[in-house]
């Protein structure tokens, strides 16, 4: 395993890499960190060169200090590690980043796996998400903000906190408090407005969504499924937004089936 820090003009990105074979980059969700891909990181390293990194202000990476774009940070990761082309596996914000990157640098994407996908430029309409977003804006501490984020993106509209695996919730809570405290969201990232451009995507695409996720995420998953040529959609029963943590066995099967077909 290799660990390091990629130096940017205005910060650093912390990464881990292991394995040999076709490159795969794991992109975590907002307010989380690369550690949420731990199981898949080890699983894929059996026959892939796998990289996971912490987005700006998340995990061990430095917070944003000026204008930046997550998809250009991804380009810097690929360039820094000498990877011309890779499969991108992204959850939530990670999926949003992967789509922006695939539109901006299409020749550098082998396949896309978009999990609980967000897409830049999307609008939110789910009443539960809007209510929690209002509570988040009124919050005054990192713990309060983190709890709103967990209600939206870990519990979701269809579960109480008690119905979520406490280990998953505690991991996500600790990562969210850390990200909020470090200013991960103090400055919005530049994006490409992909919501109106998803039909331009040409990479083989797998869309994975939990049946307990919000209506907004299901709408994006449906949009990708019908707009991206040949896209495959898998709905995982009993999973919320963080599908790979909620239902890891089912997620891993879908991921490996897709990647094996590509190889």
């Amino acid at each position: 395993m290799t660990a390091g820090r990629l130096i940017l003009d205005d910060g650093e990105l912390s990464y881990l890499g292991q394995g040999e074979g076709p490159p795969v980059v794991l992109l975590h969700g907002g307010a989380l960190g690369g550690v949420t891909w731990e199981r898949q990181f080890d699983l894929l390293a059996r026959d892939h060169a796998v990289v996971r990194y912490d987005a700006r202000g998340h995990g061990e990476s430095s917070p944003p200090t000026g204008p930046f774009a997550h998809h250009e940070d991804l380009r810097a990761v690929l360039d820094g590690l000498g990877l011309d082309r890779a499969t991108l596996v992204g959850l939530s914000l990670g999926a949003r980043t992967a789509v922006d990157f695939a539109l901006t640098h299409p020749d550098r994407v082998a396949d896309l796996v978009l999990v609980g996908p967000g897409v830049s430029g999307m609008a939110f309409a789910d009443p539960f998400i809007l209510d929690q977003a209002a509570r988040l804006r009124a919050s005054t501490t990192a713990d309060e903000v983190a709890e709103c984020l967990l209600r939206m993106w870990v519990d979701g509209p269809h579960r109480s906190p008690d119905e979520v695996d406490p280990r998953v919730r505690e991991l996500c809570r600790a990562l969210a408090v850390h990200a909020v405290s470090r200013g991960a969201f103090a400055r919005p990232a530049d994006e490409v407005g992909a919501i109106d451009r998803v039909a331009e995507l040409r990479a083989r695409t797998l869309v994975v969504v939990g049946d307990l996720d919000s209506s907004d995420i299901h709408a994006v998953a449906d949009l990708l499924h019908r707009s991206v040529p040949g896209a495959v959609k898998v709905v995982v029963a009993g999973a919320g937004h963080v599908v790979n943590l909620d239902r890891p066995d089912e997620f891993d099967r879908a991921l490996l089936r897709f990647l094996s077909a590509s190889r």
Side-chain angles (χ1 to χ4, degrees):
M1 183 182 299
T2 60
R5 302 183 71 82
L6 293 167
I7 307 302
L8 308 174
D9 291 339
D10 55 352
E12 299 179 347
L13 297 175
S14 176
Y15 75 91
L16 290 175
Q18 65 176 346
E20 296 181 357
V24 175
V25 179
L26 303 171
L27 304 161
H28 64 77
L32 299 177
V35 68
T36 55
W37 287 117
E38 185 75 27
R39 173 174 165 140
Q40 291 76 31
F41 184 64
D42 290 337
L43 177 67
L44 294 177
R46 297 172 186 172
D47 50 13
H48 293 81
V50 191
V51 176
R52 75 182 205 220
Y53 72 94
D54 295 326
R56 293 212 198 201
H58 297 71
E60 299 303 317
S61 294
S62 57
T65 58
F68 79 103
H70 286 299
H71 62 282
E72 290 305 321
D73 284 352
L74 172 56
R75 180 189 57 77
V77 170
L78 295 183
D79 289 348
L81 298 179
L83 301 176
D84 291 332
R85 196 164 179 260
T87 289
L88 306 179
V89 181
L91 166 71
S92 192
L93 170 65
R96 191 171 176 128
T97 300
V99 169
D100 277 3
F101 184 84
L103 291 171
T104 309
H105 305 284
D107 294 340
R108 303 195 67 176
V109 178
D111 297 322
L112 287 170
V113 180
L114 307 174
V115 189
V119 172
S120 61
M122 67 180 289
F124 292 94
D126 188 302
F128 177 83
I129 299 299
L130 295 178
D131 176 68
Q132 290 298 323
R135 293 172 186 266
L136 185 151
R137 290 190 294 271
S139 298
T140 57
T141 69
D143 285 332
E144 290 175 351
V145 171
E147 182 59 26
C148 292
L149 291 171
L150 263 64
R151 293 293 291 126
M152 285 190 278
W153 304 122
V154 177
D155 309 333
H158 308 293
R159 297 187 295 188
S160 69
D162 291 342
E163 294 176 293
V164 177
D165 185 332
R167 296 167 298 180
V168 169
R169 211 171 190 278
E170 178 53 29
L171 171 64
C172 295
R173 187 201 66 78
L175 292 169
V177 169
H178 177 74
V180 171
S181 299
R182 298 196 70 215
F185 308 105
R187 179 183 294 272
D190 295 334
E191 298 180 307
V192 306
I195 193 68
D196 297 321
R197 297 180 56 192
V198 294
E200 298 175 31
L201 294 169
R202 288 296 178 265
R204 280 183 72 249
T205 300
L206 170 65
V207 180
V208 183
V209 63
D211 67 341
L212 301 178
D213 208 339
S214 75
S215 58
D216 298 323
I217 300 302
H218 277 279
V220 169
D222 290 343
L223 174 66
L224 290 163
H225 185 218
R226 68 173 179 265
S227 300
V228 180
V232 175
K233 187 177 82 166
V234 173
V235 179
V236 178
H241 191 57
V242 287
V243 183
N244 64 307
L245 297 178
D246 275 341
R247 292 291 183 270
D249 291 341
E250 293 88 336
F251 175 77
D252 290 351
R253 281 195 292 270
L255 175 63
L256 292 177
R257 185 166 57 245
F258 179 75
L259 294 181
S260 64
S262 177
R263 296 191 69 181

